[in-house]
Structures are given as structure tokens and as C-alpha cells.
Amino acid sequence: MKTGVLFCTCNGRVDVRYKDVKKVEGAEVVELVDVGCGESGLEVLKRDIERNDLDSVVVGCSYGGGGFVDACSEVGVKPENVGFVNLRDLCLSVGGKEGVEAAKRAVAGEIEKLSSLEHPRDMAVNIGESVFVVGGGDVVDRVVDYLSRDLDVVQLVPEDIDVGYERLVGGQSVYQGDVFKVEGRVGGLEVGVSKESAVDLDMCIGCDRCRLECDLDAFTSGYRVLDVCDECMDCVDVCPVDAIEIGRNEKRLFETDQVLFSEDSLGLGVDELPSGVYVLGEDGLEGVSSVLERAGGFRKDVWLDVKHELCNSVGPGGSEGCSYCMDLCPADAVWIDGEGVHFDRVECTGCGLCSSICPLSVPNHKMSNKSYFNVVDSVLYEKGGLLRKDPLDKHVVLFGSREGLREYGKAVRSGVEVSPYIPIEVRPGSLSAALVVYTACKADGVVVLGQVSPAVDMAQAIVDELGVGRVGVMAGGVDVSWLDMFYRSVVTGNRIGVSRPDSYENREALVGLLEELDVEGVVEGRYSFGFVDVSGDCTLCNACANACQTGALIRKDNELVFRHERCTGCGLCIEVCPEDAVDIDYLIDFDSLGVDVGLVESEMMCCKECGKEFISMEAYRKVVDSLESAGGSKSEDRVGLIEYCEDCRPMVALRDLGSPGDDL
């Protein structure tokens, strides 16, 4: 991929000279302009793209830059191949040579990211064109009328809202009642509706005899019976079509592709809403736009490659195991059933959190671990290339989303002194523990800006145990003074030269780093690591080893062996143990990584026929005790058969059934 770089001095506000930036490793061409976002600057950009046949562009300006993206698109560079580095606000507004150096490192990282990024493929999605709208009133009615132009709309008006008869029996599908359940997912939802209505509107002919007969005016214009009704039954007697039944309760199910609730009709908790259910904002636009974006056919980026065969979410007999991705997905795009884990490609936002926390890398994000490792190496590389001279006293990496780094830029523009962080644009939730530990070893410090996953928490605890570098997290908005304080508190000179991992899967990469670093001790409560403990009730039945899909539990002869580095703490072993003999402590015991840990050992019983060891003495005694307590005329024979292995037992049983002298 051929990449060009455009630096903008923001009309002279950024103190940078061409000689400072003219040699950028990996760049085909470097330009320095005064106003990059102006007409002349954009023309320079387009000219360089065409002259040098560029595939990607890194723009050194404030984040955003819709004009830059449009200009690049005009000459054939796709929007996803345009990267940004906020030179003005993050690196060059103050800081002198240190700021320039940090900026060049950030540009090098952006070039590396663009060259190694696997862009998401897109897929065709068609979830249907039906929507179920819950609510009444002028705003909701207008929304229903608007959506009905293009979609199949059913409206449900809560029972406490009066609806005119004309609307209920008109051309639109309008019903009255309350939602008692919503199940399924976008494209296949089922809405359960109940209503207490004396009048069956499907039968009602609107003759008004019931209303005229009622002395208490208990009927509304929508033929709903009010609480003043004394159940005199006069209305029932005068109805010509038998449409009235006092105390009548009706339940019905509606199938739809999407559901839209008004805020005042939302009886379910927001956390209970499944995929494809949205809430109508006060102005009506928020929920409507969500529905229209997904209705009918459209194309959607697919960010994840999923390796279902690696997943340990479901074990033998439907036993429940790991559910990290489902529990933490902010878009409710993951669910687990008896068949395993499922990822909703429609609802997935590509945040990367599931790929960062899955210890087995079942979902693999397009911006993969390997890509991020490349970027870190690029910005921290200390010899040759564009980093011939290194004026940075400290190497402190700032991981953040584009929005987070833009927010930081706005904060420092007020005149606060900027520490020369090395910014790397990432999706904070997609940072794996292995990557953060690796970065902390190679840099003096790391700050993650934005909401993070438990993987970063785990990395922070590991780095603290290592006593190398520092990892800080700032999730509640940008605090420039805190960032400056953190930067000044970082101690230099404790970097460690660590190797790139052989595998970039989350667990293998992290364990490889820990084994190379030779860490000692125990870190309690670490996410996705477990240490299995087995009590004396174990019979070596092998159920736990058969259920363990990572190979953390292995039966070796008459011993159950544990491999700590393979245990993800999924709990399948606990689920399947018939003796309730298994427990898990959530921790990392660094001394136990990479070694066999014997959990339980038992004397084995040998088959009376062939001599093979086939059952532990504990299991044999339990089976015998169970058979003897059951009693019966055949209990002694059954106990005798237990002394033979599974291969010999059928032949022995047949032999005992034969007559004396028979040759079986």
C-alpha cells in the first residue's frame, strides 16, 4: 500500500518546519501546508494522490476532517483508508521538539495501522419491513403515519389511553392493550399483548346500542368499559352480534421485525429489551431513525470472524460454560443457547470488546491483535528511520478512540501545558491484555482513554505485579491535569525488551509474555483465568476432563492433571461433575503457568478378566454401595460385574447366562 502524508500548520499556529517532517518512514510523499482544510490545501492533497498513485493518506490535522475524506474520495482513496493525527492539539501546540517527535511517532503508527488493517467486508441484510409501535398520542400517531408510508405498521395503544372508534376500526392496524412480553431478536420478534376489554372489536359493528343502554356512561368512544361499570349486563342483552362479554380478557401474539416503544408506554426495563426493540425519543426522531436504518434490505459492515469450534460456552448435555462476550456486549449483539454462541451481525457495532475479552479468540476483530502490535512497535522503535534523534525523555503511550483524542485536543487548546504523549487511535474496548502488557514493557507508561474492558483491568494488575512501567485508565471524560500528573509521575529506565508473541490469540499471546518475563506470585480475581481445585470426593470419572474444551484438565493414568494457562474459568467442569467435587478460584498463579499441576490421584482397580486398570477404587466403592443399598435378587450378580472393565463386562454377563458346559 502506497501512503502519503499531509501536515497542516493550521495557518501558522503549529510551529513545525518542513525539515522536521520531510522524512517519514513508510510515506511515499510528505507535504506541509498552512491551511490543509482550505481549497488550496485540498487541491495539493488530491494532486499528490493522483501523481503518486496513493492508496491511503494520513492527514496531520485536527480529528474529523470531512472535507479531507471527500477530497480523497474524489480521486479514488476510500474513506477507510484516510487516517488522522491531531498534530495541532495533541502534539504541536506546545512542547517544541518533544511535540514534533511525538507527532512523527503518531504518524508512523497511523501509517502502520492503515497498511495492516483488514477492512471489514460487507454483507446484505434483509430483516423485513414490519414494525410494531407501542404508544398513543399525537407524536406517536404522527410517527405511525410517517412509517406507514414505507413499512407495514401495527400500532398498540395502551388501555389507559382512549382511542376513537374510527381509528380502531379504520384502515390502519390499531389495537388496544398492554405488552406483557417481547421475545426473539431483530427480524424475528414476538410481542405478547393482553387487554381487558368487554367488547370484541373484531365483531363490533359500531351500532352504539350498548352506549345508549348504559345508564352509567361506562363506555368510551372506543368501546372500552370504564371502572364505573356495575356489571348489570344490560349491554350484553342489547348487543345484536354478541360482541360483549363482561370481564373478558384477551391475549394475542404479534410477529414483527422491529418494535418501537414510546417512553411513557415502556413497561419493560431498558435492560430487558432484546435486539430490534427501540425507544422513541421525545422528538420522535431517535427511534424512527433506528427503525428506518434497519428496515428492508441494506448492506452492513462485518467486523468479526468467528471460530465457533473453539468456543466453550456450551458443554456436554447443554451444560453452561463461558459467557463473557454475552455478559459484556454493549449492543446486546451476542446470545448463547444450547447450540452455542451467536453473534448478531445486524446489531454488532464493531467495538471489539468481545474479541478483547475472549480468552480463546473465538471472535476475531478485523483490527486484530497483530495490527495493534505492529502499531506499538512502530511508534516505540528507537533506532533508524524517522527516529534518528529522540528528544523524548519519556515514552508514554496514549490509547484512545478518535472521539476521545478529539475531546483531549479541545481541552488542551485552552492553554493548558501538554505533556508529549504518543497518541495511538484505537477502539479502547478492543485492547487485549497481552497488547497492554507488551506496550507497558516497551514504553515507560500507558494511559487508556475511554471505557475499557476487563482485559485492560487484568493487564493493569499484571503490570503492577511486574513492577515495570505503569498503566493508567481515564474513563470518565478528559482531565488534562490528571494526564499531566500521570506523565510526570512516570519513572523512566524500567523498560523491558520483550519478544513479539508467536501467536496473537489472546490467551497464547499473554501467557507467552508472562513466561518470558518470569513473573512470580499470585494475582487474585483476574478475569478469564481460573485455578481448579478438586476435593477428596473425586472418583476420577473423567467427566470434567471430557467437558474441558481447552485441555486445562487432563486424565493421565490414575491422576487428574491441571494446566493453569489453558483454564479460562468457564465453569463447565463444575457443571458436569456428578460429585460436586470441583471448584474454581479466579486468579493467576504465575508459578503454575506452563507446568502440570496434580489435582487428585487414586488407586486404580484392575479388570478381573484382562487386567486393565479401568476404574478408581473410590468410584468402585461408590457403585458397589449404591447397588447393595438398592437390594434385589440380582444385586450380588450386578456387584460382581463391576469388577470387569467395559470391554469384558458384556462377555462375562453372557457367559454367566449360559448353561454349565456351554462354550461361549
mmCIF file with all atom_site columns, all heavy atoms in Angstrom, residues 360-382:
data_model
loop_
_atom_site.group_PDB
_atom_site.id
_atom_site.type_symbol
_atom_site.label_atom_id
_atom_site.label_alt_id
_atom_site.label_comp_id
_atom_site.label_asym_id
_atom_site.label_entity_id
_atom_site.label_seq_id
_atom_site.pdbx_PDB_ins_code
_atom_site.Cartn_x
_atom_site.Cartn_y
_atom_site.Cartn_z
_atom_site.occupancy
_atom_site.B_iso_or_equiv
_atom_site.pdbx_formal_charge
_atom_site.auth_seq_id
_atom_site.auth_comp_id
_atom_site.auth_asym_id
_atom_site.auth_atom_id
_atom_site.pdbx_PDB_model_num
ATOM 1   N N   . LEU A 1 360 ? -10.063 -17.278 24.225 1.00 0.00 ? 360 LEU A N   1
ATOM 2   C CA  . LEU A 1 360 ? -9.756  -18.219 23.145 1.00 0.00 ? 360 LEU A CA  1
ATOM 3   C C   . LEU A 1 360 ? -9.812  -17.570 21.773 1.00 0.00 ? 360 LEU A C   1
ATOM 4   O O   . LEU A 1 360 ? -9.654  -18.250 20.764 1.00 0.00 ? 360 LEU A O   1
ATOM 5   C CB  . LEU A 1 360 ? -10.740 -19.396 23.195 1.00 0.00 ? 360 LEU A CB  1
ATOM 6   C CG  . LEU A 1 360 ? -10.792 -20.142 24.532 1.00 0.00 ? 360 LEU A CG  1
ATOM 7   C CD1 . LEU A 1 360 ? -11.829 -21.247 24.482 1.00 0.00 ? 360 LEU A CD1 1
ATOM 8   C CD2 . LEU A 1 360 ? -9.429  -20.702 24.896 1.00 0.00 ? 360 LEU A CD2 1
ATOM 9   N N   . SER A 1 361 ? -10.060 -16.253 21.716 1.00 0.00 ? 361 SER A N   1
ATOM 10  C CA  . SER A 1 361 ? -10.146 -15.520 20.447 1.00 0.00 ? 361 SER A CA  1
ATOM 11  C C   . SER A 1 361 ? -11.146 -16.155 19.490 1.00 0.00 ? 361 SER A C   1
ATOM 12  O O   . SER A 1 361 ? -10.887 -16.306 18.298 1.00 0.00 ? 361 SER A O   1
ATOM 13  C CB  . SER A 1 361 ? -8.767  -15.412 19.783 1.00 0.00 ? 361 SER A CB  1
ATOM 14  O OG  . SER A 1 361 ? -7.892  -14.616 20.559 1.00 0.00 ? 361 SER A OG  1
ATOM 15  N N   . VAL A 1 362 ? -12.313 -16.530 20.027 1.00 0.00 ? 362 VAL A N   1
ATOM 16  C CA  . VAL A 1 362 ? -13.385 -17.062 19.177 1.00 0.00 ? 362 VAL A CA  1
ATOM 17  C C   . VAL A 1 362 ? -13.861 -15.988 18.200 1.00 0.00 ? 362 VAL A C   1
ATOM 18  O O   . VAL A 1 362 ? -13.894 -16.210 16.997 1.00 0.00 ? 362 VAL A O   1
ATOM 19  C CB  . VAL A 1 362 ? -14.546 -17.604 20.037 1.00 0.00 ? 362 VAL A CB  1
ATOM 20  C CG1 . VAL A 1 362 ? -15.738 -17.981 19.158 1.00 0.00 ? 362 VAL A CG1 1
ATOM 21  C CG2 . VAL A 1 362 ? -14.081 -18.811 20.839 1.00 0.00 ? 362 VAL A CG2 1
ATOM 22  N N   . PRO A 1 363 ? -14.224 -14.764 18.683 1.00 0.00 ? 363 PRO A N   1
ATOM 23  C CA  . PRO A 1 363 ? -14.466 -13.669 17.732 1.00 0.00 ? 363 PRO A CA  1
ATOM 24  C C   . PRO A 1 363 ? -13.161 -12.918 17.479 1.00 0.00 ? 363 PRO A C   1
ATOM 25  O O   . PRO A 1 363 ? -12.514 -12.455 18.417 1.00 0.00 ? 363 PRO A O   1
ATOM 26  C CB  . PRO A 1 363 ? -15.484 -12.790 18.469 1.00 0.00 ? 363 PRO A CB  1
ATOM 27  C CG  . PRO A 1 363 ? -15.208 -13.023 19.918 1.00 0.00 ? 363 PRO A CG  1
ATOM 28  C CD  . PRO A 1 363 ? -14.595 -14.385 20.054 1.00 0.00 ? 363 PRO A CD  1
ATOM 29  N N   . ASN A 1 364 ? -12.784 -12.805 16.237 1.00 0.00 ? 364 ASN A N   1
ATOM 30  C CA  . ASN A 1 364 ? -11.542 -12.118 15.884 1.00 0.00 ? 364 ASN A CA  1
ATOM 31  C C   . ASN A 1 364 ? -11.890 -10.832 15.141 1.00 0.00 ? 364 ASN A C   1
ATOM 32  O O   . ASN A 1 364 ? -12.497 -10.863 14.080 1.00 0.00 ? 364 ASN A O   1
ATOM 33  C CB  . ASN A 1 364 ? -10.670 -13.025 15.007 1.00 0.00 ? 364 ASN A CB  1
ATOM 34  C CG  . ASN A 1 364 ? -9.327  -12.396 14.707 1.00 0.00 ? 364 ASN A CG  1
ATOM 35  O OD1 . ASN A 1 364 ? -8.776  -11.671 15.534 1.00 0.00 ? 364 ASN A OD1 1
ATOM 36  N ND2 . ASN A 1 364 ? -8.796  -12.656 13.534 1.00 0.00 ? 364 ASN A ND2 1
ATOM 37  N N   . HIS A 1 365 ? -11.505 -9.690  15.718 1.00 0.00 ? 365 HIS A N   1
ATOM 38  C CA  . HIS A 1 365 ? -11.823 -8.395  15.145 1.00 0.00 ? 365 HIS A CA  1
ATOM 39  C C   . HIS A 1 365 ? -10.908 -8.094  13.962 1.00 0.00 ? 365 HIS A C   1
ATOM 40  O O   . HIS A 1 365 ? -9.752  -8.504  13.937 1.00 0.00 ? 365 HIS A O   1
ATOM 41  C CB  . HIS A 1 365 ? -11.670 -7.309  16.211 1.00 0.00 ? 365 HIS A CB  1
ATOM 42  C CG  . HIS A 1 365 ? -12.345 -6.027  15.868 1.00 0.00 ? 365 HIS A CG  1
ATOM 43  N ND1 . HIS A 1 365 ? -11.729 -5.019  15.175 1.00 0.00 ? 365 HIS A ND1 1
ATOM 44  C CD2 . HIS A 1 365 ? -13.604 -5.579  16.125 1.00 0.00 ? 365 HIS A CD2 1
ATOM 45  C CE1 . HIS A 1 365 ? -12.564 -4.007  15.025 1.00 0.00 ? 365 HIS A CE1 1
ATOM 46  N NE2 . HIS A 1 365 ? -13.711 -4.312  15.590 1.00 0.00 ? 365 HIS A NE2 1
ATOM 47  N N   . LYS A 1 366 ? -11.454 -7.374  12.980 1.00 0.00 ? 366 LYS A N   1
ATOM 48  C CA  . LYS A 1 366 ? -10.649 -7.042  11.801 1.00 0.00 ? 366 LYS A CA  1
ATOM 49  C C   . LYS A 1 366 ? -9.422  -6.213  12.171 1.00 0.00 ? 366 LYS A C   1
ATOM 50  O O   . LYS A 1 366 ? -8.370  -6.351  11.567 1.00 0.00 ? 366 LYS A O   1
ATOM 51  C CB  . LYS A 1 366 ? -11.508 -6.278  10.784 1.00 0.00 ? 366 LYS A CB  1
ATOM 52  C CG  . LYS A 1 366 ? -12.563 -7.128  10.116 1.00 0.00 ? 366 LYS A CG  1
ATOM 53  C CD  . LYS A 1 366 ? -11.949 -8.248  9.314  1.00 0.00 ? 366 LYS A CD  1
ATOM 54  C CE  . LYS A 1 366 ? -12.998 -9.056  8.568  1.00 0.00 ? 366 LYS A CE  1
ATOM 55  N NZ  . LYS A 1 366 ? -12.397 -10.156 7.792  1.00 0.00 ? 366 LYS A NZ  1
ATOM 56  N N   . MET A 1 367 ? -9.593  -5.308  13.151 1.00 0.00 ? 367 MET A N   1
ATOM 57  C CA  . MET A 1 367 ? -8.422  -4.613  13.670 1.00 0.00 ? 367 MET A CA  1
ATOM 58  C C   . MET A 1 367 ? -7.850  -5.514  14.741 1.00 0.00 ? 367 MET A C   1
ATOM 59  O O   . MET A 1 367 ? -8.148  -5.397  15.913 1.00 0.00 ? 367 MET A O   1
ATOM 60  C CB  . MET A 1 367 ? -8.811  -3.243  14.247 1.00 0.00 ? 367 MET A CB  1
ATOM 61  C CG  . MET A 1 367 ? -7.610  -2.395  14.618 1.00 0.00 ? 367 MET A CG  1
ATOM 62  S SD  . MET A 1 367 ? -6.563  -2.058  13.176 1.00 0.00 ? 367 MET A SD  1
ATOM 63  C CE  . MET A 1 367 ? -5.134  -1.332  13.956 1.00 0.00 ? 367 MET A CE  1
ATOM 64  N N   . SER A 1 368 ? -7.011  -6.443  14.334 1.00 0.00 ? 368 SER A N   1
ATOM 65  C CA  . SER A 1 368 ? -6.628  -7.567  15.170 1.00 0.00 ? 368 SER A CA  1
ATOM 66  C C   . SER A 1 368 ? -5.499  -7.214  16.114 1.00 0.00 ? 368 SER A C   1
ATOM 67  O O   . SER A 1 368 ? -4.877  -6.150  16.036 1.00 0.00 ? 368 SER A O   1
ATOM 68  C CB  . SER A 1 368 ? -6.196  -8.737  14.282 1.00 0.00 ? 368 SER A CB  1
ATOM 69  O OG  . SER A 1 368 ? -5.022  -8.370  13.567 1.00 0.00 ? 368 SER A OG  1
ATOM 70  N N   . ASN A 1 369 ? -5.218  -8.148  17.011 1.00 0.00 ? 369 ASN A N   1
ATOM 71  C CA  . ASN A 1 369 ? -4.072  -8.029  17.905 1.00 0.00 ? 369 ASN A CA  1
ATOM 72  C C   . ASN A 1 369 ? -2.789  -7.759  17.132 1.00 0.00 ? 369 ASN A C   1
ATOM 73  O O   . ASN A 1 369 ? -1.980  -6.911  17.508 1.00 0.00 ? 369 ASN A O   1
ATOM 74  C CB  . ASN A 1 369 ? -3.914  -9.323  18.708 1.00 0.00 ? 369 ASN A CB  1
ATOM 75  C CG  . ASN A 1 369 ? -4.467  -9.184  20.117 1.00 0.00 ? 369 ASN A CG  1
ATOM 76  O OD1 . ASN A 1 369 ? -4.708  -8.089  20.595 1.00 0.00 ? 369 ASN A OD1 1
ATOM 77  N ND2 . ASN A 1 369 ? -4.668  -10.301 20.779 1.00 0.00 ? 369 ASN A ND2 1
ATOM 78  N N   . LYS A 1 370 ? -2.604  -8.492  16.057 1.00 0.00 ? 370 LYS A N   1
ATOM 79  C CA  . LYS A 1 370 ? -1.369  -8.343  15.288 1.00 0.00 ? 370 LYS A CA  1
ATOM 80  C C   . LYS A 1 370 ? -1.222  -6.919  14.756 1.00 0.00 ? 370 LYS A C   1
ATOM 81  O O   . LYS A 1 370 ? -0.134  -6.338  14.801 1.00 0.00 ? 370 LYS A O   1
ATOM 82  C CB  . LYS A 1 370 ? -1.348  -9.339  14.123 1.00 0.00 ? 370 LYS A CB  1
ATOM 83  C CG  . LYS A 1 370 ? -0.063  -9.281  13.299 1.00 0.00 ? 370 LYS A CG  1
ATOM 84  C CD  . LYS A 1 370 ? -0.075  -10.317 12.184 1.00 0.00 ? 370 LYS A CD  1
ATOM 85  C CE  . LYS A 1 370 ? 1.216   -10.241 11.360 1.00 0.00 ? 370 LYS A CE  1
ATOM 86  N NZ  . LYS A 1 370 ? 1.217   -11.239 10.271 1.00 0.00 ? 370 LYS A NZ  1
ATOM 87  N N   . SER A 1 371 ? -2.301  -6.338  14.257 1.00 0.00 ? 371 SER A N   1
ATOM 88  C CA  . SER A 1 371 ? -2.248  -4.973  13.745 1.00 0.00 ? 371 SER A CA  1
ATOM 89  C C   . SER A 1 371 ? -1.836  -3.997  14.836 1.00 0.00 ? 371 SER A C   1
ATOM 90  O O   . SER A 1 371 ? -1.006  -3.108  14.627 1.00 0.00 ? 371 SER A O   1
ATOM 91  C CB  . SER A 1 371 ? -3.616  -4.575  13.178 1.00 0.00 ? 371 SER A CB  1
ATOM 92  O OG  . SER A 1 371 ? -4.023  -5.450  12.148 1.00 0.00 ? 371 SER A OG  1
ATOM 93  N N   . TYR A 1 372 ? -2.424  -4.146  16.010 1.00 0.00 ? 372 TYR A N   1
ATOM 94  C CA  . TYR A 1 372 ? -2.094  -3.250  17.119 1.00 0.00 ? 372 TYR A CA  1
ATOM 95  C C   . TYR A 1 372 ? -0.643  -3.424  17.566 1.00 0.00 ? 372 TYR A C   1
ATOM 96  O O   . TYR A 1 372 ? 0.027   -2.447  17.918 1.00 0.00 ? 372 TYR A O   1
ATOM 97  C CB  . TYR A 1 372 ? -3.037  -3.494  18.297 1.00 0.00 ? 372 TYR A CB  1
ATOM 98  C CG  . TYR A 1 372 ? -4.398  -2.847  18.159 1.00 0.00 ? 372 TYR A CG  1
ATOM 99  C CD1 . TYR A 1 372 ? -5.520  -3.421  18.745 1.00 0.00 ? 372 TYR A CD1 1
ATOM 100 C CD2 . TYR A 1 372 ? -4.566  -1.653  17.477 1.00 0.00 ? 372 TYR A CD2 1
ATOM 101 C CE1 . TYR A 1 372 ? -6.772  -2.823  18.645 1.00 0.00 ? 372 TYR A CE1 1
ATOM 102 C CE2 . TYR A 1 372 ? -5.802  -1.044  17.360 1.00 0.00 ? 372 TYR A CE2 1
ATOM 103 C CZ  . TYR A 1 372 ? -6.902  -1.641  17.948 1.00 0.00 ? 372 TYR A CZ  1
ATOM 104 O OH  . TYR A 1 372 ? -8.136  -1.046  17.840 1.00 0.00 ? 372 TYR A OH  1
ATOM 105 N N   . PHE A 1 373 ? -0.163  -4.657  17.595 1.00 0.00 ? 373 PHE A N   1
ATOM 106 C CA  . PHE A 1 373 ? 1.245   -4.887  17.947 1.00 0.00 ? 373 PHE A CA  1
ATOM 107 C C   . PHE A 1 373 ? 2.158   -4.174  16.952 1.00 0.00 ? 373 PHE A C   1
ATOM 108 O O   . PHE A 1 373 ? 3.177   -3.592  17.326 1.00 0.00 ? 373 PHE A O   1
ATOM 109 C CB  . PHE A 1 373 ? 1.556   -6.386  17.969 1.00 0.00 ? 373 PHE A CB  1
ATOM 110 C CG  . PHE A 1 373 ? 1.271   -7.058  19.285 1.00 0.00 ? 373 PHE A CG  1
ATOM 111 C CD1 . PHE A 1 373 ? 0.041   -7.628  19.541 1.00 0.00 ? 373 PHE A CD1 1
ATOM 112 C CD2 . PHE A 1 373 ? 2.244   -7.119  20.268 1.00 0.00 ? 373 PHE A CD2 1
ATOM 113 C CE1 . PHE A 1 373 ? -0.225  -8.246  20.751 1.00 0.00 ? 373 PHE A CE1 1
ATOM 114 C CE2 . PHE A 1 373 ? 1.993   -7.739  21.487 1.00 0.00 ? 373 PHE A CE2 1
ATOM 115 C CZ  . PHE A 1 373 ? 0.750   -8.304  21.734 1.00 0.00 ? 373 PHE A CZ  1
ATOM 116 N N   . ASN A 1 374 ? 1.787   -4.212  15.677 1.00 0.00 ? 374 ASN A N   1
ATOM 117 C CA  . ASN A 1 374 ? 2.583   -3.515  14.650 1.00 0.00 ? 374 ASN A CA  1
ATOM 118 C C   . ASN A 1 374 ? 2.634   -2.018  14.922 1.00 0.00 ? 374 ASN A C   1
ATOM 119 O O   . ASN A 1 374 ? 3.684   -1.381  14.787 1.00 0.00 ? 374 ASN A O   1
ATOM 120 C CB  . ASN A 1 374 ? 1.989   -3.765  13.262 1.00 0.00 ? 374 ASN A CB  1
ATOM 121 C CG  . ASN A 1 374 ? 2.185   -5.185  12.785 1.00 0.00 ? 374 ASN A CG  1
ATOM 122 O OD1 . ASN A 1 374 ? 3.015   -5.922  13.319 1.00 0.00 ? 374 ASN A OD1 1
ATOM 123 N ND2 . ASN A 1 374 ? 1.427   -5.588  11.787 1.00 0.00 ? 374 ASN A ND2 1
ATOM 124 N N   . VAL A 1 375 ? 1.493   -1.440  15.285 1.00 0.00 ? 375 VAL A N   1
ATOM 125 C CA  . VAL A 1 375 ? 1.440   -0.007  15.548 1.00 0.00 ? 375 VAL A CA  1
ATOM 126 C C   . VAL A 1 375 ? 2.317   0.348   16.746 1.00 0.00 ? 375 VAL A C   1
ATOM 127 O O   . VAL A 1 375 ? 3.080   1.323   16.711 1.00 0.00 ? 375 VAL A O   1
ATOM 128 C CB  . VAL A 1 375 ? -0.014  0.435   15.797 1.00 0.00 ? 375 VAL A CB  1
ATOM 129 C CG1 . VAL A 1 375 ? -0.060  1.890   16.234 1.00 0.00 ? 375 VAL A CG1 1
ATOM 130 C CG2 . VAL A 1 375 ? -0.848  0.243   14.543 1.00 0.00 ? 375 VAL A CG2 1
ATOM 131 N N   . VAL A 1 376 ? 2.220   -0.421  17.818 1.00 0.00 ? 376 VAL A N   1
ATOM 132 C CA  . VAL A 1 376 ? 3.025   -0.146  19.018 1.00 0.00 ? 376 VAL A CA  1
ATOM 133 C C   . VAL A 1 376 ? 4.512   -0.213  18.697 1.00 0.00 ? 376 VAL A C   1
ATOM 134 O O   . VAL A 1 376 ? 5.299   0.658   19.096 1.00 0.00 ? 376 VAL A O   1
ATOM 135 C CB  . VAL A 1 376 ? 2.656   -1.132  20.141 1.00 0.00 ? 376 VAL A CB  1
ATOM 136 C CG1 . VAL A 1 376 ? 3.658   -1.050  21.291 1.00 0.00 ? 376 VAL A CG1 1
ATOM 137 C CG2 . VAL A 1 376 ? 1.253   -0.855  20.646 1.00 0.00 ? 376 VAL A CG2 1
ATOM 138 N N   . ASP A 1 377 ? 4.910   -1.232  17.959 1.00 0.00 ? 377 ASP A N   1
ATOM 139 C CA  . ASP A 1 377 ? 6.322   -1.342  17.581 1.00 0.00 ? 377 ASP A CA  1
ATOM 140 C C   . ASP A 1 377 ? 6.762   -0.155  16.739 1.00 0.00 ? 377 ASP A C   1
ATOM 141 O O   . ASP A 1 377 ? 7.888   0.335   16.858 1.00 0.00 ? 377 ASP A O   1
ATOM 142 C CB  . ASP A 1 377 ? 6.559   -2.638  16.799 1.00 0.00 ? 377 ASP A CB  1
ATOM 143 C CG  . ASP A 1 377 ? 6.726   -3.835  17.723 1.00 0.00 ? 377 ASP A CG  1
ATOM 144 O OD1 . ASP A 1 377 ? 6.799   -3.627  18.948 1.00 0.00 ? 377 ASP A OD1 1
ATOM 145 O OD2 . ASP A 1 377 ? 6.780   -4.964  17.224 1.00 0.00 ? 377 ASP A OD2 1
ATOM 146 N N   . SER A 1 378 ? 5.863   0.313   15.888 1.00 0.00 ? 378 SER A N   1
ATOM 147 C CA  . SER A 1 378 ? 6.212   1.422   15.004 1.00 0.00 ? 378 SER A CA  1
ATOM 148 C C   . SER A 1 378 ? 6.477   2.703   15.784 1.00 0.00 ? 378 SER A C   1
ATOM 149 O O   . SER A 1 378 ? 7.463   3.404   15.544 1.00 0.00 ? 378 SER A O   1
ATOM 150 C CB  . SER A 1 378 ? 5.086   1.645   13.987 1.00 0.00 ? 378 SER A CB  1
ATOM 151 O OG  . SER A 1 378 ? 5.368   2.739   13.151 1.00 0.00 ? 378 SER A OG  1
ATOM 152 N N   . VAL A 1 379 ? 5.637   3.016   16.774 1.00 0.00 ? 379 VAL A N   1
ATOM 153 C CA  . VAL A 1 379 ? 5.792   4.285   17.487 1.00 0.00 ? 379 VAL A CA  1
ATOM 154 C C   . VAL A 1 379 ? 6.872   4.217   18.566 1.00 0.00 ? 379 VAL A C   1
ATOM 155 O O   . VAL A 1 379 ? 7.364   5.262   19.012 1.00 0.00 ? 379 VAL A O   1
ATOM 156 C CB  . VAL A 1 379 ? 4.462   4.740   18.119 1.00 0.00 ? 379 VAL A CB  1
ATOM 157 C CG1 . VAL A 1 379 ? 3.395   4.906   17.062 1.00 0.00 ? 379 VAL A CG1 1
ATOM 158 C CG2 . VAL A 1 379 ? 4.004   3.795   19.214 1.00 0.00 ? 379 VAL A CG2 1
ATOM 159 N N   . LEU A 1 380 ? 7.242   3.003   18.982 1.00 0.00 ? 380 LEU A N   1
ATOM 160 C CA  . LEU A 1 380 ? 8.254   2.884   20.031 1.00 0.00 ? 380 LEU A CA  1
ATOM 161 C C   . LEU A 1 380 ? 9.614   2.460   19.507 1.00 0.00 ? 380 LEU A C   1
ATOM 162 O O   . LEU A 1 380 ? 10.543  2.259   20.285 1.00 0.00 ? 380 LEU A O   1
ATOM 163 C CB  . LEU A 1 380 ? 7.790   1.884   21.103 1.00 0.00 ? 380 LEU A CB  1
ATOM 164 C CG  . LEU A 1 380 ? 6.543   2.297   21.892 1.00 0.00 ? 380 LEU A CG  1
ATOM 165 C CD1 . LEU A 1 380 ? 6.138   1.204   22.869 1.00 0.00 ? 380 LEU A CD1 1
ATOM 166 C CD2 . LEU A 1 380 ? 6.775   3.595   22.638 1.00 0.00 ? 380 LEU A CD2 1
ATOM 167 N N   . TYR A 1 381 ? 9.743   2.320   18.207 1.00 0.00 ? 381 TYR A N   1
ATOM 168 C CA  . TYR A 1 381 ? 11.007  1.906   17.606 1.00 0.00 ? 381 TYR A CA  1
ATOM 169 C C   . TYR A 1 381 ? 12.048  2.995   17.833 1.00 0.00 ? 381 TYR A C   1
ATOM 170 O O   . TYR A 1 381 ? 11.800  4.169   17.582 1.00 0.00 ? 381 TYR A O   1
ATOM 171 C CB  . TYR A 1 381 ? 10.803  1.659   16.112 1.00 0.00 ? 381 TYR A CB  1
ATOM 172 C CG  . TYR A 1 381 ? 12.029  1.169   15.387 1.00 0.00 ? 381 TYR A CG  1
ATOM 173 C CD1 . TYR A 1 381 ? 12.716  0.031   15.817 1.00 0.00 ? 381 TYR A CD1 1
ATOM 174 C CD2 . TYR A 1 381 ? 12.494  1.828   14.266 1.00 0.00 ? 381 TYR A CD2 1
ATOM 175 C CE1 . TYR A 1 381 ? 13.826  -0.421  15.144 1.00 0.00 ? 381 TYR A CE1 1
ATOM 176 C CE2 . TYR A 1 381 ? 13.610  1.381   13.577 1.00 0.00 ? 381 TYR A CE2 1
ATOM 177 C CZ  . TYR A 1 381 ? 14.273  0.249   14.022 1.00 0.00 ? 381 TYR A CZ  1
ATOM 178 O OH  . TYR A 1 381 ? 15.378  -0.188  13.363 1.00 0.00 ? 381 TYR A OH  1
ATOM 179 N N   . GLU A 1 382 ? 13.249  2.636   18.305 1.00 0.00 ? 382 GLU A N   1
ATOM 180 C CA  . GLU A 1 382 ? 14.192  3.639   18.772 1.00 0.00 ? 382 GLU A CA  1
ATOM 181 C C   . GLU A 1 382 ? 15.419  3.831   17.887 1.00 0.00 ? 382 GLU A C   1
ATOM 182 O O   . GLU A 1 382 ? 16.264  4.667   18.184 1.00 0.00 ? 382 GLU A O   1
ATOM 183 C CB  . GLU A 1 382 ? 14.665  3.274   20.182 1.00 0.00 ? 382 GLU A CB  1
ATOM 184 C CG  . GLU A 1 382 ? 13.531  3.270   21.198 1.00 0.00 ? 382 GLU A CG  1
ATOM 185 C CD  . GLU A 1 382 ? 14.012  2.929   22.591 1.00 0.00 ? 382 GLU A CD  1
ATOM 186 O OE1 . GLU A 1 382 ? 15.158  3.255   22.911 1.00 0.00 ? 382 GLU A OE1 1
ATOM 187 O OE2 . GLU A 1 382 ? 13.249  2.329   23.345 1.00 0.00 ? 382 GLU A OE2 1
#
